[in-house]
Amino acid sequence: MRNKKDLHIAGCLGDLDSKTEIPDRLKNLDVISLNKKAELLFEKAMTANNENDEEVVYIYLMKYCQILQVMKKTFTNDKKYIDLMYKDNLKKAIKMLTYIKESLERRYNEKTKEEDNNKLIKRSSQNRKRFEEKLNFEFESTITNENLLYLLDNTDKKKICLLDTRPSDIFNNNKIISCDVINIPKENLVLGLTPTIITSKLEDQFKEIWANRHNYNYIVILDQGTEDIDDDQRLLNLKNALLKWDPNYDNSKKVKFLRGGYEDFNHLCPWKTTQNNILKSNKDIEPLSDIELDPEPEYEEHENKQIQYPSLGTVQNDLARLKFNSTFHNGLTTDIKSKLDHRENYSSEEDIDSQELTHTPINKPQLPIFDRSTKPSVKINQFMNPEIIKPLYKNNDELDDENNELPNNIEQLENRRLSLENSFLENVDSYVREYKNQDTDLNSIPRVDRSTKPSDDLLIVSRTKIIGGDGLRGLQNLGNTCYMNSILQCLSSTEDLVKYFINIYSNFTNYKSRTKGLVAKEFSNVIKNLWSQSGRGYQSQQFKDTIGEYKDMFKHYDQQDSHEFLTILLDWLHDDLNQPEDNRVILGASKETGEEDWGNWTKANNSIIQQLFYGQQKSTVSCDTCFEKSVTFEPFLSLSLPLPSEGNKCTLSDCLQLYLNGESICGWHCPKCKRSRDATKKLDIMRLPPYLIIHLKRFSSNGYKKNSNVEFPKMNLDMSNFINGLEHRNWKYCLYGVSNHSGSLDGGHYTASCLKNSINKWYKFDDVRVYEIDSSTICSPEAYILFYRRKN
């Protein structure tokens, strides 16, 4: 006898019963329609029974019996109902339900006991492992940041004392706050140091702690970031003072050096230091960057233009449309008057509704909702002459504005420099005046809608260059932020997006957006840092704090879904960079092919995000009775593809075909029949973007993850068989990024696999760890989001 399928839908019979209710709309159907639904449910129950899936059998049979009850109450005088009631199916269903209910109750109880035992075993194992780790570093002269964090979280913090040897000014600005700390600057750690000499050099606030040093279980010495303790004589002088010249006390097991120092500890757990609080409280004196350097542009009214749709053979480049309205600055202002807005109360977005188990709907992707009520009414062109681009780095170091000295923290200096750099274009004024002063004959130059040809703006961006590093810099994990790091690395490998944010983005920010341009500003700083020359992992704390101000789910340190983060981030970036073309008139576009809808949508949605990532699809709902059709065209940011329910292996083509197959829907209000009808819904892809994002729907509504190995092409993804539009473009794509997820829905880890096109090598980005990988390992059951770019 085959084994029963593992329990995967509910934790108890009560939870399972909550999934057996039938929709109210079914109660209004006629007896023939109800009969069809009942037969379908019974067939699915028998199929699940063959697979020994008791939970699914129970749900289908319970729904089957409920439909028969509806028929009994409503159609008692109907002869067809009487015939149906005496069939063998009902008797068989009741007999099976009686057996399955008893079996499920027993199995749920056994599963609960097993899970409780496993939790006890796991907890015991973890405690034993921590105890063993604790024993290991008892006899070591150094201690790792992880071990120090363990001690702070699991032992008496009053028994731990830190000796911070950094300069006083740096210590006072950024320090560990989770236990007692004494600041003993390195300048005082001279040869022949004794505890008495240390006492004379301490500030008064530290003398009492130092006097009680013998009461601590651990005394940890740290500096800014020293790795090799033996090479730092001043640290050894402090160690010798405690071990050799502290009479009557054995400190040999107490004294430890902190490997990596304050810098690594702050990267590991910034919430236990004051640096995180300083970043949040001092936003009014943050380093100069795009917001201060580029005041909000003054918008000019342009007269309405009519745009015709010429044939593809006669399309000409409309250079006269390239008008620029930008503000350039030769100097840097030091008087920062504006403060970032802080928002305390935000309401989380509604949870995604669970899908009904009676069928697996193939839903169209959920698009972000854009608020267009506050957008400027005219367009400011987003792109500049590609030939003239200012380098990302200066030859001389930036000086601190307040004290005219170099910052002590080298990483802060680098991040400050990148924030100050806005990559302004030089010698552009003459280029701007040339086009502003032209007398353009609107009748002599064809007006071409962006729906019929590649964007001129996008072509300009693609011709620029990335000036800086190689994009192989890792990201610090700030506490369960691997989902964010994975997406940032994939976007950092999107070349046209990187060129835009490094070279020219800052002049085209929409300061009237929901986030007032702040998300785009901080995203630009992240991109510039990831493409800097530094090999050390970058800490994107300011970026996380900014997005946390606008979304509660990103404010804390809980794990989130990388696809949800990607969708929200691109929505915010689009809003921050959107320059609507409300004065553009659409003429001659075809309604049937979606050109008219696309033209109207791009009038209100004109940003680099729209031009790079957005496509269009058609949704057709057809009545099964009168065959009346309802057609709508909608933009999409990514394709969320379902995975086949059977088998551990499938192809990306299988998922695409499943996405485009028609599905049956119940209770659709037919405009012709004037009543609820069964209908068929069909999706068609009409327009593909230059960069195609494909999301594999591995997580089901019941918390189950599908670990199917989806085989996807790396070099030649041919979409010609899956597009139904009239757009004449190259439909072949090549892979350049993958967001991976390992583990389950309850606990897992995100990484990224990215192709660096300039050197044609694949790299794995695992938070701060970056290393080269073989391209044959890219396709795995962990692949979650695929990033493709159109081939030239």
Side-chain angles (χ1 to χ4, degrees):
M1 182 178 179
R2 291 181 301 147
N3 294 329
K4 295 177 181 178
K5 190 170 183 178
D6 292 340
L7 300 173
H8 60 96
I9 295 179
C12 64
L13 199 61
D15 292 341
L16 195 63
D17 283 331
S18 66
K19 303 178 183 298
T20 62
E21 294 297 324
I22 62 173
D24 291 338
R25 62 177 180 270
L26 292 181
K27 299 175 183 178
N28 299 324
L29 298 180
D30 55 66
V31 65
I32 300 300
S33 299
L34 286 173
N35 182 30
K36 289 182 180 179
K37 298 294 181 186
E39 289 179 347
L40 178 61
L41 287 169
F42 190 83
E43 291 175 1
K44 290 189 175 183
M46 295 304 102
T47 301
N49 187 54
N50 293 333
E51 299 172 354
N52 266 8
D53 194 338
E54 288 187 332
E55 288 178 309
V56 176
V57 174
Y58 183 83
I59 291 175
Y60 283 148
L61 289 182
M62 288 293 289
K63 291 187 175 185
Y64 167 78
C65 292
Q66 288 183 65
I67 290 181
L68 293 186
Q69 287 295 322
V70 173
M71 296 170 65
K72 178 180 179 181
K73 294 178 181 179
T74 311
F75 306 104
T76 53
N77 297 325
D78 193 309
K79 186 176 184 303
K80 293 181 178 179
Y81 164 73
I82 300 298
D83 293 337
L84 290 169
M85 284 301 296
Y86 289 96
K87 288 187 176 180
D88 294 334
N89 287 354
L90 179 58
K91 297 178 181 179
K92 184 175 181 180
I94 294 175
K95 184 181 295 186
M96 291 180 65
L97 280 172
T98 302
Y99 168 78
I100 291 176
K101 184 176 181 180
E102 294 176 355
S103 175
L104 286 173
E105 285 180 333
R106 183 179 64 258
R107 293 177 64 194
Y108 281 132
N109 290 333
E110 292 174 353
K111 182 180 179 182
T112 301
K113 292 179 181 178
E114 183 180 355
E115 289 176 348
D116 291 342
N117 290 334
N118 289 337
K119 288 179 181 178
L120 290 174
I121 294 173
K122 183 178 180 181
R123 190 178 298 116
S124 175
S125 175
Q126 290 175 344
N127 291 336
R128 183 171 62 255
K129 181 179 179 182
R130 289 171 179 171
F131 178 74
E132 291 173 354
E133 291 176 347
K134 185 174 182 294
L135 288 179
N136 287 337
F137 65 74
E138 286 285 355
F139 301 97
E140 295 287 339
S141 61
T142 61
I143 187 174
T144 65
N145 288 281
E146 290 79 6
N147 285 335
L148 177 58
L149 179 60
Y150 167 77
L151 290 176
L152 292 174
D153 288 340
N154 298 277
T155 63
D156 186 358
K157 293 184 288 187
K158 296 180 181 180
K159 294 294 184 178
I160 302 173
C161 181
L162 306 181
L163 305 183
D164 194 324
T165 64
R166 296 176 299 153
S168 298
D169 55 344
I170 297 178
F171 169 82
N172 291 328
N173 288 331
N174 309 311
K175 57 188 175 185
I176 299 173
I177 56 176
S178 298
C179 61
D180 289 340
V181 184
I182 301 176
N183 180 219
I184 312 177
K186 274 189 181 181
E187 61 191 43
N188 297 325
L189 305 180
V190 296
L191 196 64
L193 191 68
T194 65
T196 303
I197 296 176
I198 293 176
T199 303
S200 65
K201 293 181 179 295
L202 289 178
E203 297 180 14
D204 291 340
Q205 58 179 317
F206 302 124
K207 288 183 178 180
E208 183 178 354
I209 303 176
W210 176 254
N212 295 324
R213 63 187 179 277
H214 306 118
N215 297 326
Y216 293 101
N217 294 334
Y218 297 95
I219 300 176
V220 181
I221 302 173
L222 63 104
D223 66 350
Q224 181 65 22
T226 297
E227 292 289 347
D228 193 349
I229 305 298
D230 294 334
D231 288 344
D232 195 321
Q233 184 59 49
R234 291 182 180 270
L235 294 182
L236 294 177
N237 292 340
L238 178 57
K239 176 183 177 182
N240 291 333
L242 290 167
L243 297 183
K244 297 181 180 180
W245 307 109
D246 204 3
N248 303 324
Y249 294 100
D250 182 11
N251 296 324
S252 58
K253 293 183 179 180
K254 289 184 178 182
V255 178
K256 312 286 182 186
F257 284 115
L258 181 63
R259 291 204 291 268
Y262 171 85
E263 198 169 85
D264 280 2
F265 184 82
N266 182 56
H267 287 158
L268 174 66
C269 46
W271 55 91
K272 290 189 178 293
T273 70
T274 58
Q275 185 159 332
N276 190 42
N277 296 329
I278 290 173
L279 285 173
K280 291 183 178 179
S281 61
N282 290 347
K283 287 186 178 180
D284 55 327
I285 56 171
E286 65 178 336
L288 293 172
S289 62
D290 302 333
I291 295 298
E292 291 80 16
L293 295 176
D294 291 275
E296 183 175 345
E298 297 179 359
Y299 298 106
E300 298 179 358
E301 295 290 341
H302 294 266
E303 59 184 10
N304 287 347
K305 302 172 288 183
Q306 291 189 348
I307 301 178
Q308 303 292 338
Y309 278 77
S311 63
L312 292 175
T314 60
V315 171
Q316 301 179 17
N317 289 329
D318 188 5
L319 294 178
R321 296 183 64 253
L322 294 178
K323 296 186 178 181
F324 305 95
N325 183 12
S326 306
T327 304
F328 300 96
H329 300 264
N330 295 323
L332 299 178
T333 175
T334 58
D335 183 16
I336 306 173
K337 297 180 180 180
S338 60
K339 294 184 178 181
L340 301 178
D341 293 333
H342 290 264
R343 289 164 174 77
E344 298 298 332
N345 300 317
Y346 296 95
S347 59
S348 300
E349 290 189 345
E350 295 180 358
D351 295 332
I352 300 173
D353 294 333
S354 299
Q355 298 176 352
E356 294 185 24
L357 205 143
T358 51
H359 57 81
T360 305
I362 306 172
N363 293 328
K364 60 190 176 186
Q366 298 296 319
L367 296 174
I369 300 175
F370 303 117
D371 179 15
R372 306 297 170 206
S373 59
T374 59
K375 298 296 177 295
S377 58
V378 296
K379 173 190 177 184
I380 293 183
N381 198 294
Q382 301 181 34
F383 304 96
M384 291 288 188
N385 182 358
E387 304 299 330
I388 311 171
I389 299 175
K390 188 174 180 179
L392 179 61
Y393 296 97
K394 290 183 178 181
N395 293 327
N396 58 320
D397 292 325
E398 298 291 341
L399 295 180
D400 186 86
D401 293 324
E402 296 181 1
N403 54 25
N404 203 33
E405 296 178 356
L406 288 172
N408 291 295
N409 189 316
I410 300 302
E411 180 135 331
Q412 289 180 355
L413 169 63
E414 178 191 11
N415 296 343
R416 180 181 180 84
R417 175 189 300 146
L418 293 173
S419 179
L420 287 168
E421 293 291 348
N422 287 276
S423 301
F424 295 126
L425 306 179
E426 300 173 353
N427 302 323
V428 146
D429 289 341
S430 59
Y431 184 81
V432 173
R433 289 193 295 271
E434 176 183 353
Y435 284 98
K436 277 192 172 182
N437 296 331
Q438 283 184 349
D439 294 325
T440 306
D441 184 358
L442 295 179
N443 295 324
S444 63
I445 300 178
R447 301 300 175 189
V448 182
D449 186 83
R450 296 303 170 89
S451 64
T452 62
K453 70 178 187 65
S455 168
D456 292 334
D457 298 342
L458 188 54
L459 290 176
I460 291 176
V461 171
S462 65
R463 292 169 185 162
T464 62
K465 295 181 179 180
I466 300 175
I467 302 174
D470 50 17
L472 295 178
R473 190 176 185 185
L475 281 164
Q476 294 284 348
N477 192 319
L478 307 177
N480 286 325
T481 57
C482 56
Y483 71 92
M484 181 178 73
N485 293 347
S486 172
I487 295 302
L488 289 176
Q489 293 292 5
C490 289
L491 293 179
S492 177
S493 299
T494 307
E495 289 194 352
D496 286 335
L497 190 70
V498 173
K499 293 173 183 177
Y500 178 86
F501 274 97
I502 286 182
N503 294 329
I504 58 179
Y505 114 88
S506 58
N507 298 307
F508 309 103
T509 305
N510 175 16
Y511 297 104
K512 295 182 180 180
S513 69
R514 289 167 293 172
T515 62
K516 296 180 173 53
L518 298 181
V519 172
K521 166 199 164 187
E522 294 304 333
F523 179 76
S524 175
N525 287 337
V526 171
I527 293 297
K528 291 174 183 178
N529 275 284
L530 290 181
W531 282 85
S532 71
Q533 301 288 353
S534 173
R536 187 176 185 83
Y538 174 61
Q539 182 184 6
S540 56
Q541 184 69 52
Q542 186 67 24
F543 173 79
K544 183 186 181 299
D545 290 344
T546 299
I547 63 175
E549 290 293 330
Y550 297 100
K551 197 75 172 175
D552 282 344
M553 62 191 298
F554 303 136
K555 181 179 294 185
H556 308 291
Y557 295 90
D558 300 325
Q559 183 66 275
Q560 303 296 340
D561 178 68
S562 68
H563 181 251
E564 187 174 6
F565 169 73
L566 171 66
T567 303
I568 295 173
L569 174 60
L570 291 182
D571 176 27
W572 280 341
L573 292 177
H574 166 74
D575 219 23
D576 280 353
L577 303 170
N578 190 24
Q579 305 290 344
E581 298 180 303
D582 296 331
N583 60 326
R584 180 160 59 90
V585 179
I586 307 298
L587 294 178
S590 170
K591 180 67 175 177
E592 290 74 18
T593 63
E595 285 182 330
E596 181 179 327
D597 289 84
W598 181 253
N600 287 325
W601 185 77
T602 54
K603 280 173 57 178
N605 297 275
N606 178 40
S607 73
I608 188 66
I609 305 301
Q610 171 261 312
Q611 294 175 21
L612 290 178
F613 298 109
Y614 272 93
Q616 185 191 41
Q617 64 182 4
K618 178 176 71 173
S619 175
T620 305
V621 180
S622 176
C623 177
D624 291 349
T625 303
C626 70
F627 305 106
E628 176 72 10
K629 292 184 179 181
S630 174
V631 178
T632 57
F633 293 94
E634 296 176 340
F636 68 84
L637 180 60
S638 64
L639 296 177
S640 291
L641 306 184
L643 274 61
S645 57
E646 298 180 358
N648 294 324
K649 295 185 74 173
C650 62
T651 66
L652 187 60
S653 296
D654 296 334
C655 300
L656 282 164
Q657 194 59 57
L658 187 59
Y659 177 75
L660 298 175
N661 285 343
E663 63 164 330
S664 297
I665 57 177
C666 300
W668 181 68
H669 185 77
C670 176
K672 186 175 181 180
C673 299
K674 305 297 183 183
R675 61 179 300 178
S676 296
R677 294 290 195 189
D678 288 349
T680 301
K681 180 180 177 181
K682 177 74 169 64
L683 293 176
D684 289 290
I685 300 174
M686 307 301 293
R687 187 181 308 275
L688 288 168
Y691 287 83
L692 177 62
I693 301 175
I694 296 178
H695 164 226
L696 303 177
K697 297 173 68 174
R698 293 193 178 276
F699 300 107
S700 62
S701 58
N702 56 21
Y704 174 70
K705 180 185 177 184
K706 296 181 180 179
N707 291 309
S708 304
N709 189 5
V710 182
E711 296 181 358
F712 48 86
K714 293 187 287 291
M715 294 302 298
N716 288 294
L717 171 61
D718 191 350
M719 293 293 292
S720 58
N721 294 328
F722 306 104
I723 187 168
N724 197 30
L726 300 177
E727 182 187 25
H728 295 284
R729 289 194 187 175
N730 184 0
W731 291 320
K732 290 187 177 182
Y733 288 81
C734 58
L735 187 74
Y736 70 91
V738 180
S739 175
N740 304 295
H741 180 271
S742 58
S744 64
L745 182 63
D746 297 328
H749 181 58
Y750 287 96
T751 60
S753 302
C754 299
L755 173 67
K756 293 306 176 183
N757 197 44
S758 59
I759 52 180
N760 195 31
K761 291 182 179 180
W762 282 88
Y763 289 86
K764 188 69 168 287
F765 293 84
D766 186 354
D767 292 332
V768 294
R769 297 179 63 234
V770 181
Y771 51 92
E772 185 179 348
I773 58 175
D774 192 277
S775 61
S776 62
T777 64
I778 303 300
C779 187
S780 75
E782 296 180 354
Y784 184 43
I785 307 174
L786 311 178
F787 292 78
Y788 281 94
R789 67 167 177 265
R790 179 181 286 137
K791 299 182 70 173
N792 297 326

